[in-house]
Coordinates of all heavy atoms in Angstrom, one line a residue:
E1 N 0.8 -1.2 0.0 CA 0.0 0.0 0.0 C 0.9 1.3 0.0 O 0.4 2.3 -0.5 CB -0.9 0.0 1.2 CG -1.9 -1.1 1.3 CD -3.0 -1.1 0.2 OE1 -3.0 -0.1 -0.6 OE2 -3.9 -2.0 0.2
S2 N 2.1 1.2 0.6 CA 2.9 2.4 0.7 C 4.2 2.2 0.0 O 5.2 3.0 0.3 CB 3.1 2.7 2.1 OG 1.9 2.9 2.8
G3 N 4.4 1.3 -0.9 CA 5.7 1.1 -1.6 C 5.8 -0.2 -2.4 O 4.8 -0.9 -2.6
A4 N 7.0 -0.5 -2.8 CA 7.2 -1.7 -3.5 C 8.6 -2.2 -3.2 O 9.5 -1.4 -2.8 CB 7.1 -1.5 -5.0
I5 N 8.8 -3.5 -3.3 CA 10.1 -4.1 -3.1 C 10.4 -5.0 -4.3 O 9.6 -5.8 -4.7 CB 10.2 -5.0 -1.8 CG1 9.8 -4.2 -0.6 CG2 11.6 -5.6 -1.7 CD1 9.8 -5.0 0.7
T6 N 11.5 -4.7 -5.0 CA 11.9 -5.4 -6.2 C 13.1 -6.3 -6.1 O 13.9 -6.0 -5.2 CB 12.1 -4.3 -7.3 OG1 13.4 -3.6 -7.0 CG2 11.0 -3.3 -7.4
W7 N 13.2 -7.2 -7.0 CA 14.3 -8.1 -7.0 C 14.8 -8.2 -8.5 O 14.0 -8.5 -9.4 CB 14.0 -9.5 -6.6 CG 15.1 -10.5 -6.8 CD1 16.4 -10.5 -6.2 CD2 15.1 -11.6 -7.7 NE1 17.1 -11.5 -6.7 CE2 16.4 -12.3 -7.6 CE3 14.1 -12.2 -8.5 CZ2 16.7 -13.4 -8.3 CZ3 14.5 -13.4 -9.2 CH2 15.7 -13.9 -9.1
G8 N 16.0 -7.8 -8.7 CA 16.6 -7.9 -10.0 C 18.1 -7.6 -9.9 O 18.9 -8.5 -9.7
S9 N 18.5 -6.3 -9.9 CA 19.9 -5.9 -9.6 C 19.9 -5.8 -8.0 O 20.1 -4.7 -7.5 CB 20.2 -4.6 -10.3 OG 19.3 -3.6 -9.9
G10 N 19.8 -6.9 -7.3 CA 19.7 -6.8 -5.9 C 18.2 -6.7 -5.5 O 17.3 -6.6 -6.3
I11 N 18.0 -6.6 -4.2 CA 16.7 -6.4 -3.6 C 16.6 -5.0 -3.1 O 17.4 -4.6 -2.2 CB 16.3 -7.4 -2.5 CG1 16.3 -8.8 -3.1 CG2 15.0 -7.1 -1.8 CD1 16.1 -10.0 -2.1
H12 N 15.6 -4.2 -3.6 CA 15.6 -2.8 -3.2 C 14.1 -2.4 -2.9 O 13.2 -2.9 -3.5 CB 16.1 -1.9 -4.4 CG 17.6 -2.3 -4.7 ND1 18.6 -2.1 -3.8 CD2 18.1 -2.8 -5.8 CE1 19.7 -2.4 -4.4 NE2 19.5 -2.9 -5.6
V13 N 14.0 -1.4 -2.0 CA 12.8 -0.9 -1.6 C 12.5 0.5 -2.1 O 13.4 1.4 -2.1 CB 12.8 -0.8 0.0 CG1 11.4 -0.2 0.5 CG2 13.0 -2.2 0.6
V14 N 11.3 0.8 -2.7 CA 10.9 2.1 -3.1 C 9.7 2.5 -2.2 O 8.7 1.8 -2.2 CB 10.5 2.1 -4.6 CG1 10.2 3.6 -5.0 CG2 11.5 1.4 -5.5
R15 N 9.8 3.6 -1.5 CA 8.8 4.1 -0.6 C 8.9 5.5 -0.4 O 9.8 6.2 -0.9 CB 8.8 3.3 0.7 CG 10.0 3.3 1.5 CD 9.9 2.5 2.8 NE 11.1 2.5 3.5 CZ 11.2 2.6 4.9 NH1 10.1 2.8 5.5 NH2 12.3 2.5 5.5
G16 N 8.1 6.1 0.5 CA 8.2 7.5 0.9 C 7.8 8.4 -0.3 O 7.0 8.0 -1.2
A17 N 8.3 9.6 -0.3 CA 7.9 10.6 -1.3 C 8.4 10.2 -2.7 O 7.8 10.6 -3.7 CB 8.5 11.9 -0.9
I18 N 9.4 9.4 -2.8 CA 9.9 8.9 -4.1 C 9.0 7.9 -4.8 O 8.8 7.9 -6.0 CB 11.3 8.3 -4.0 CG1 12.3 9.5 -3.7 CG2 11.8 7.6 -5.2 CD1 13.8 9.0 -3.5
Y19 N 8.2 7.2 -4.0 CA 7.4 6.1 -4.5 C 6.3 6.6 -5.5 O 6.2 6.1 -6.6 CB 6.8 5.3 -3.3 CG 5.8 4.3 -3.7 CD1 6.1 3.2 -4.5 CD2 4.4 4.4 -3.3 CE1 5.2 2.2 -4.9 CE2 3.5 3.4 -3.6 CZ 3.9 2.3 -4.4 OH 3.0 1.4 -4.8
P20 N 5.5 7.6 -5.1 CA 4.5 8.1 -6.1 C 5.0 8.6 -7.4 O 4.4 8.5 -8.4 CB 3.7 9.1 -5.3 CG 4.6 9.6 -4.2 CD 5.4 8.4 -3.8
V21 N 6.2 9.3 -7.3 CA 6.8 9.8 -8.5 C 7.2 8.6 -9.4 O 6.9 8.6 -10.7 CB 8.1 10.6 -8.2 CG1 8.8 11.0 -9.4 CG2 7.7 11.8 -7.3
W22 N 7.7 7.6 -8.9 CA 8.1 6.4 -9.6 C 6.9 5.7 -10.2 O 6.9 5.3 -11.4 CB 8.9 5.5 -8.7 CG 9.4 4.2 -9.3 CD1 10.3 4.1 -10.3 CD2 9.0 2.9 -8.9 NE1 10.6 2.8 -10.5 CE2 9.8 2.0 -9.7 CE3 8.1 2.3 -8.0 CZ2 9.6 0.6 -9.7 CZ3 8.0 0.9 -7.9 CH2 8.7 0.1 -8.8
T23 N 5.8 5.6 -9.4 CA 4.6 4.9 -10.0 C 4.0 5.7 -11.1 O 3.5 5.1 -12.0 CB 3.6 4.6 -8.8 OG1 3.2 5.8 -8.2 CG2 4.2 3.6 -7.8
R24 N 3.9 7.0 -10.9 CA 3.3 7.8 -12.0 C 4.1 7.8 -13.3 O 3.5 8.0 -14.4 CB 3.2 9.3 -11.5 CG 2.2 9.4 -10.4 CD 2.1 10.8 -9.9 NE 1.4 11.7 -10.8 CZ 1.1 13.0 -10.5 NH1 1.4 13.5 -9.3 NH2 0.5 13.7 -11.4
S25 N 5.4 7.4 -13.2 CA 6.2 7.3 -14.4 C 6.0 5.9 -15.1 O 6.5 5.7 -16.2 CB 7.6 7.5 -14.1 OG 8.2 6.3 -13.4
G26 N 5.3 5.0 -14.4 CA 5.1 3.7 -15.0 C 5.8 2.6 -14.2 O 6.0 1.5 -14.6
S27 N 6.4 3.0 -13.0 CA 7.2 2.1 -12.2 C 8.3 1.4 -12.9 O 8.9 2.1 -13.8 CB 6.2 1.1 -11.4 OG 5.5 0.3 -12.3
E28 N 8.5 0.1 -12.8 CA 9.6 -0.5 -13.4 C 9.5 -0.6 -14.9 O 10.5 -0.7 -15.6 CB 9.8 -1.9 -12.8 CG 9.0 -3.0 -13.4 CD 7.5 -3.1 -13.0 OE1 7.0 -2.1 -12.4 OE2 6.9 -4.1 -13.2
A29 N 8.3 -0.5 -15.4 CA 8.1 -0.5 -16.9 C 8.2 0.9 -17.5 O 8.1 1.1 -18.7 CB 6.8 -1.1 -17.2
G30 N 8.4 1.9 -16.7 CA 8.4 3.3 -17.2 C 9.8 3.8 -17.5 O 10.8 3.1 -17.6
V31 N 9.9 5.2 -17.5 CA 11.1 5.8 -18.0 C 12.3 5.6 -17.1 O 13.4 5.5 -17.5 CB 10.8 7.4 -18.2 CG1 10.5 8.0 -16.8 CG2 12.0 8.0 -18.8
Y32 N 12.0 5.4 -15.8 CA 13.1 5.3 -14.8 C 13.6 3.8 -14.7 O 14.8 3.6 -14.4 CB 12.7 5.8 -13.4 CG 12.2 7.2 -13.4 CD1 11.0 7.5 -12.8 CD2 12.9 8.2 -14.1 CE1 10.6 8.8 -12.7 CE2 12.5 9.5 -14.1 CZ 11.3 9.8 -13.4 OH 10.8 11.1 -13.4
G33 N 12.7 2.9 -14.9 CA 13.1 1.5 -14.7 C 13.0 1.1 -13.2 O 12.5 1.9 -12.4
G34 N 13.5 0.0 -12.9 CA 13.5 -0.5 -11.5 C 14.6 0.1 -10.7 O 15.6 0.6 -11.3
P35 N 14.5 0.1 -9.4 CA 15.6 0.7 -8.5 C 16.9 -0.2 -8.6 O 16.8 -1.4 -8.7 CB 15.0 0.7 -7.1 CG 14.0 -0.5 -7.2 CD 13.4 -0.4 -8.6
T36 N 18.0 0.5 -8.5 CA 19.3 -0.2 -8.4 C 20.0 0.0 -7.1 O 21.0 -0.5 -6.8 CB 20.2 0.2 -9.6 OG1 20.4 1.7 -9.5 CG2 19.7 -0.2 -10.9
T37 N 19.4 0.9 -6.3 CA 19.8 1.1 -4.9 C 18.6 1.3 -4.0 O 17.5 1.5 -4.5 CB 20.7 2.4 -4.8 OG1 19.8 3.6 -5.0 CG2 21.8 2.4 -5.7
D38 N 18.8 1.2 -2.7 CA 17.8 1.7 -1.8 C 17.9 3.2 -1.7 O 18.8 3.8 -2.3 CB 18.0 1.0 -0.4 CG 17.6 -0.4 -0.4 OD1 16.7 -0.8 -1.2 OD2 18.2 -1.2 0.4
I39 N 17.0 3.8 -1.0 CA 17.1 5.3 -0.7 C 18.3 5.5 0.1 O 18.6 4.8 1.1 CB 15.8 5.8 0.0 CG1 14.6 5.6 -1.0 CG2 15.9 7.2 0.4 CD1 13.3 5.8 -0.3
Y40 N 19.1 6.6 -0.2 CA 20.3 6.9 0.6 C 20.4 8.4 0.8 O 19.8 9.2 0.0 CB 21.5 6.3 -0.1 CG 21.8 6.9 -1.5 CD1 22.6 8.0 -1.7 CD2 21.2 6.3 -2.6 CE1 22.8 8.5 -3.0 CE2 21.4 6.8 -3.9 CZ 22.2 7.9 -4.1 OH 22.5 8.4 -5.4
R41 N 21.1 8.8 1.8 CA 21.3 10.2 2.1 C 22.5 10.8 1.3 O 23.5 10.2 1.3 CB 21.4 10.4 3.6 CG 21.5 11.9 4.0 CD 21.6 12.0 5.5 NE 20.4 11.6 6.2 CZ 19.3 12.3 6.3 NH1 19.3 13.6 5.7 NH2 18.2 11.9 6.9
S42 N 22.3 12.0 0.8 CA 23.4 12.7 0.2 C 23.2 14.2 0.7 O 22.4 15.0 0.2 CB 23.2 12.7 -1.3 OG 24.3 13.5 -2.0
G43 N 24.0 14.5 1.7 CA 23.9 15.8 2.3 C 22.6 15.9 3.0 O 22.2 15.0 3.8
S44 N 21.8 16.9 2.7 CA 20.5 17.0 3.3 C 19.4 16.4 2.5 O 18.2 16.4 2.9 CB 20.1 18.5 3.6 OG 20.1 19.2 2.3
A45 N 19.7 15.8 1.4 CA 18.7 15.3 0.4 C 18.7 13.7 0.6 O 19.6 13.1 1.1 CB 19.1 15.6 -1.0

């Protein structure tokens, strides 16, 4: 209900604010494809 977990290039979780952006793009079949990392911090982002 609040995300997805994929298996391909490893097992990765998509959730939080990034999840609806990903799903609106078509999720794994869309422009971005499936995740290749989990969510990670980069500075304050």
Side-chain angles (χ1 to χ4, degrees):
E1 299 289 0
S2 302
I5 303 177
T6 68
W7 172 63
S9 55
I11 296 175
H12 301 296
V13 178
V14 188
R15 58 180 176 139
I18 289 176
Y19 174 62
V21 176
W22 182 64
T23 58
R24 291 178 72 172
S25 75
S27 60
E28 84 282 14
V31 63
Y32 305 132
T36 57
T37 69
D38 287 330
I39 297 170
Y40 60 92
R41 182 177 294 279
S42 178
S44 60

